[in-house]
Amino acid sequence: MSQETAISTAADYVNAPLLYKGKVREIYDLGEHFLIVVTDRISAFDYVLSPAVPDKGNVLNQVSKFWFAQTADFMESHLIHADLEKLPAGLIRDADIMKHRFMVTKKAQRIDIECVVRGYITGGGWRQYQKTGEINGIKLPEGMRKNEKFPQPIFTPAAKNDVGHDEDISFERMEELVGKEIAAELREKSLKLYEYAHAYCQERGIVLADTKFEFGLVDGKVILIDEIFTPDSSRFWAKENYELDIEIDSMDKEPVRTYLSNSDWDKNSEPNPLPASVVEETSRRYRDILNRLTGV
């Protein structure tokens, strides 16, 4: 896989109406289905940064496609295909640039809950625990250490916001928002997916610390949508780096976050362009996790 030029939008390459432009993904209308294209845009601290990161979109899309296939026997997803030859003639302008970064999907109605599963106490969960002894209202044992593995993974949902941060909520609040039956189904599906992927990653020298899912409804049935177990939706640690009580360098856009945190950027205004070295290291990390997970 080699793409020397990063793309910050797919609009120049797709002959279809643009329905939605997220921080990274763009959704185009194909009539019966969606065309979802993953760009190379990168975001941090709720800002889309420049320049785009070469190969990032290719990696995210291929990782999701891999996991959708791996879990297809027990989890229905929105994926219909990701095959250039099945696309209508004239839909895509540059096959070489687009071939690894799109999916044709079912048109699902998104359930506005971010389904977060945590297998280890770290990140925002660790910060909650330090203040309250809880995560999203779940009372946890005293004396837990940073990065410690939970006896069982925990489900900590968030209410989705298209702008700004998603809002951490309790499971009881989630039940109020989507109903008890849907809430229980989302929790069950999320935990099952996490446990499967955690075991898979362990065999490949990777710790899947936490992850998040999105689900939607098609004809009243809950299916998996968006992305799955990518470096943007999951916290991966190299097993050799796993240790308690430290900040573990994760296998994702950590170079970007580190650079921004150590800069004089105020996080309230448009940041300056990222240095080439940060972009190159971030691109390398995305390619590395694809290779370690899938062998590509």
Side-chain angles (χ1 to χ4, degrees), residues 53-113:
V53 175
D55 265 342
K56 179 176 180 283
N58 288 327
V59 167
L60 293 177
N61 197 62
Q62 289 188 90
V63 168
S64 283
K65 185 172 68 171
F66 167 80
W67 284 113
F68 284 140
Q70 288 288 115
T71 58
D73 287 346
F74 66 90
M75 196 68 57
E76 183 178 348
S77 79
H78 67 168
L79 176 63
I80 295 173
H81 73 82
D83 185 346
L84 272 173
E85 294 184 359
K86 294 181 179 179
L87 294 179
L91 177 65
I92 298 296
R93 291 196 178 96
D94 191 321
D96 286 340
I97 285 178
M98 295 294 292
K99 62 185 177 183
H100 292 308
R101 61 173 70 250
F102 78 89
M103 289 183 186
V104 174
T105 73
K106 300 168 187 174
K107 284 188 168 181
Q109 177 189 352
R110 189 183 77 178
I111 300 170
D112 290 335
I113 297 291

Side-chain angles (χ1 to χ4, degrees), residues 48-285:
V48 175
L49 310 170
S50 65
V53 175
D55 265 342
K56 179 176 180 283
N58 288 327
V59 167
L60 293 177
N61 197 62
Q62 289 188 90
V63 168
S64 283
K65 185 172 68 171
F66 167 80
W67 284 113
F68 284 140
Q70 288 288 115
T71 58
D73 287 346
F74 66 90
M75 196 68 57
E76 183 178 348
S77 79
H78 67 168
L79 176 63
I80 295 173
H81 73 82
D83 185 346
L84 272 173
E85 294 184 359
K86 294 181 179 179
L87 294 179
L91 177 65
I92 298 296
R93 291 196 178 96
D94 191 321
D96 286 340
I97 285 178
M98 295 294 292
K99 62 185 177 183
H100 292 308
R101 61 173 70 250
F102 78 89
M103 289 183 186
V104 174
T105 73
K106 300 168 187 174
K107 284 188 168 181
Q109 177 189 352
R110 189 183 77 178
I111 300 170
D112 290 335
I113 297 291
E114 193 104 279
C115 293
V116 181
V117 179
R118 303 176 190 272
Y120 299 74
I121 187 164
T122 193
W126 170 248
R127 290 189 291 273
Q128 281 192 57
Y129 174 75
Q130 285 182 299
K131 292 178 182 176
T132 66
E134 301 177 349
I135 300 179
N136 289 43
I138 300 172
K139 185 68 177 175
L140 297 171
E142 293 182 7
M144 290 197 74
R145 296 168 63 183
K146 185 176 183 179
N147 306 330
E148 185 176 345
K149 186 179 181 183
F150 293 115
Q152 298 292 332
I154 62 172
F155 179 73
T156 59
K160 284 198 65 62
N161 291 316
D162 284 328
V163 178
H165 290 292
D166 296 333
E167 177 193 353
D168 291 326
I169 57 175
S170 67
F171 185 73
E172 291 72 25
R173 175 58 181 150
M174 177 179 167
E175 289 180 319
E176 293 174 1
L177 292 172
V178 302
K180 290 190 175 183
E181 189 174 326
I182 293 290
E185 185 174 359
L186 294 181
R187 178 170 62 183
E188 179 186 0
K189 288 181 182 299
S190 298
L191 290 168
K192 188 172 184 177
L193 283 164
Y194 174 83
E195 287 167 354
Y196 172 86
H198 182 270
Y200 180 95
C201 289
Q202 284 279 79
E203 294 172 359
R204 285 149 185 84
I206 299 168
V207 176
L208 176 58
D210 50 46
T211 193
K212 58 186 179 181
F213 310 103
E214 291 189 26
F215 293 89
L217 294 169
V218 173
D219 298 327
K221 184 176 184 180
V222 174
I223 66 167
L224 186 61
I225 65 170
D226 196 50
E227 61 183 329
I228 174 177
F229 302 126
T230 72
D232 276 13
S233 68
S234 309
R235 193 188 314 262
F236 295 111
W237 295 328
K239 191 182 288 187
E240 62 269 21
N241 293 338
Y242 177 67
E243 192 176 332
L244 297 178
D245 306 322
I246 67 166
E247 194 67 35
I248 301 174
D249 191 19
S250 54
M251 303 170 73
D252 55 15
K253 54 187 174 186
E254 192 67 31
V256 171
R257 287 190 291 260
T258 300
Y259 167 76
L260 292 174
S261 295
N262 293 335
S263 72
D264 57 4
W265 178 46
D266 61 9
K267 297 187 176 66
N268 292 311
S269 59
E270 200 71 28
N272 292 326
L274 297 169
S277 60
V278 173
V279 173
E280 289 165 9
E281 172 60 15
T282 304
S283 184
R284 186 198 66 77
R285 288 193 182 206

